Amino acid sequence: MSVRLKVVSAMRQVASEQERQLSALDDEAVLANSGLDSLCFAIIVARLEDELGVDPFTASEEVYFPVTLSDFVSLYEHAVAT
């Protein structure tokens, strides 16, 4: 399964568990408008760290906060590749 599919799957699973209405998850989807709150994203990041073995938010000193789904996926793809 690709990194993108793992990220999207985690987002959908957490949205379901937290009873959140998730917006469409296309590349330009703005994370702040996704229907997920900060707790949801914390859960997603923790699960992705378990699954992918990396937390891109602590792996580098030059971390930016992603705005779109594409940014979020790219952050993980880059972290997994390095």
Side-chain angles (χ1 to χ4, degrees):
M1 184 182 294
S2 72
V3 171
R4 177 184 175 74
L5 288 177
K6 289 179 181 183
V7 169
V8 170
S9 177
M11 291 176 80
R12 287 186 175 137
Q13 183 176 4
V14 170
S16 175
E17 292 168 1
Q18 298 295 314
E19 299 179 356
R20 297 288 186 162
Q21 182 67 34
L22 194 60
S23 66
L25 294 177
D26 59 40
D27 281 341
E28 299 307 313
V30 176
L31 297 176
N33 299 331
S34 66
L36 301 172
D37 62 12
S38 59
L39 174 60
C40 292
F41 279 106
I43 295 168
I44 291 165
V45 169
R47 288 189 184 172
L48 289 173
E49 181 177 11
D50 288 344
E51 187 169 354
L52 300 174
V54 65
D55 178 354
F57 297 99
T58 60
S60 171
E61 292 183 20
E62 294 184 25
V63 174
Y64 70 95
F65 293 99
V67 175
T68 65
L69 176 60
S70 178
D71 296 339
F72 194 64
V73 170
S74 293
L75 187 66
Y76 274 93
E77 288 174 335
H78 178 70
V80 167
T82 56

